[in-house]
Amino acid sequence: MKPRSLVLAVLLSLSAAAWAVEQEETFTNLTPGQDMLDPANLAQLLRQGDVRAMNNVGLLWAKGYNGRQSYIEALNWWKEAAKRGYTVAMNNIGLLYAKGNGVEQDYKQAFEWWHQAAFLGNAWAMNNVGDLYENGLGVEKNLMMAMTWYQSGAEQGDRMAMYNLGLLYEAGKGVDRDYAAALTWFRKAADKGEGSAMHSIGAMYAEGRGVGADPVEAHAWYSVADLRFPPEDADEAKQNRRDLDELGARLDPEQLARARDRAAAIEALTRPAPPQPTKPLGPGEKST
């Protein structure tokens, strides 16, 4: 499987490139427009026993706030939220151990935290458990288990799990090579805005693997992928740009025009929806 998302001591694929701050359930709004990570807001939520607030305090410590930063303090806050069953905090603890931030790098610990979150239904963690099984990190390598966990995450809508399933089918790892199945999963991930999946689709059309070779379609997918890679995927973005430029140099003006039109249509269909604010808690309510 192609390494992506995080720069670790080894090449380990993960479903998010940073702490789980981008997951909707991580945030709690008190007043629309206010900074959701403002300590003054979080203090009020902590008095209510809000696990999202505990997680956010951990995020403040992990990312640094007003010149203060401590992974150990982050770990303490996340453990408090994890004790109360908050899977986002469990994911963040697993990430600490996977990256070795503030603790000794320990994939077995990462596996245990992500496995716990996965059993509680967190799709992000399901994909990570699949990654560890596929790469034999913290657990014995088992491609069947990797496939099982990727499938579970994909069924719950995790786009990286969808992409990783596509990679297994494309490479014939743990399953018979099946380009049609690979393309299906890449398309599902691409529909959710996953740049790596878009590049993979482009490559399949460029090389005629599982589909008829179509340089115009390939160029269109590479073009949209160029818009979707996050900063942490800079190496993949550079490779996609090289592929885009090399292919573009071989197309004539009419083909390039058709590729631009097709790219515009793909971009519109795969444009990520703007995040919806989390509903504020009512009096006496606690997040779960």
Side-chain angles (χ1 to χ4, degrees):
M1 181 176 63
K2 177 172 56 176
R4 81 170 256 33
S5 294
L6 285 173
V7 179
L8 303 179
V10 298
L11 300 179
L12 167 63
S13 297
L14 298 177
S15 63
W19 312 115
V21 66
E22 294 181 352
Q23 299 190 36
E24 182 182 32
E25 66 267 34
T26 302
F27 295 127
T28 300
N29 265 327
L30 284 179
T31 304
Q34 287 187 334
D35 183 356
M36 289 182 286
L37 295 183
D38 190 298
N41 293 344
L42 293 171
Q44 179 178 336
L45 295 173
L46 284 172
R47 288 193 292 270
Q48 300 173 5
D50 192 307
V51 292
R52 285 180 292 185
M54 295 176 189
N55 183 72
N56 286 349
V57 171
L59 287 169
L60 284 174
W61 280 110
K63 295 169 71 67
Y65 188 88
N66 283 346
R68 303 178 68 189
Q69 192 277 337
S70 172
Y71 289 122
I72 297 302
E73 287 292 339
L75 179 61
N76 291 335
W77 281 103
W78 287 334
K79 282 186 175 180
E80 286 300 316
K83 287 178 184 177
R84 295 161 174 80
Y86 195 49
T87 59
V88 176
M90 296 174 191
N91 288 340
N92 285 335
I93 295 172
L95 195 53
L96 276 183
Y97 281 107
K99 296 183 71 175
N101 286 335
V103 295
E104 184 176 351
Q105 188 178 51
D106 188 335
Y107 291 111
K108 184 176 181 181
Q109 283 285 335
F111 174 82
E112 290 177 358
W113 282 104
W114 285 334
H115 199 246
Q116 182 179 353
F119 263 109
L120 290 173
N122 189 286
W124 193 92
M126 291 173 184
N127 176 69
N128 289 347
V129 170
D131 285 329
L132 294 179
Y133 270 118
E134 181 180 353
N135 292 283
L137 295 170
V139 67
E140 185 175 350
K141 185 173 182 177
N142 187 322
L143 292 177
M144 183 175 294
M145 289 298 295
M147 175 68 76
T148 297
W149 281 108
Y150 287 152
Q151 185 79 43
S152 296
E155 288 173 355
Q156 293 202 38
D158 186 85
R159 70 186 192 185
M160 276 307 303
M162 297 172 182
Y163 173 61
N164 285 333
L165 276 174
L167 289 177
L168 290 184
Y169 279 112
E170 182 182 42
K173 292 181 63 175
V175 292
D176 292 335
R177 178 171 286 162
D178 187 334
Y179 288 130
L183 184 60
T184 294
W185 285 111
F186 288 153
R187 285 189 180 277
K188 288 178 181 290
D191 286 345
K192 290 180 171 290
E194 178 53 48
S196 294
M198 294 174 179
H199 178 267
S200 292
I201 294 171
M204 293 184 79
Y205 277 105
E207 299 165 15
R209 288 184 289 110
V211 292
D214 187 337
V216 170
E217 186 75 2
H219 191 280
W221 281 103
Y222 287 154
S223 296
V224 182
D226 193 51
L227 305 174
R228 297 289 190 261
F229 283 107
E232 60 271 10
D233 288 343
D235 289 342
E236 286 189 69
K238 289 179 181 178
Q239 181 60 57
N240 181 78
R241 169 52 66 174
R242 286 193 292 268
D243 292 340
L244 177 62
D245 291 343
E246 290 175 5
L247 182 58
R250 300 199 301 268
L251 300 185
D252 61 36
E254 187 273 335
Q255 289 176 311
L256 285 172
R258 286 195 289 120
R260 284 192 294 270
D261 289 343
R262 175 61 178 147
I266 294 171
E267 195 283 327
L269 290 172
T270 62
R271 187 180 303 148
Q276 298 298 313
T278 304
K279 180 181 178 181
L281 298 174
E285 286 186 317
K286 294 182 180 180
S287 64
T288 55

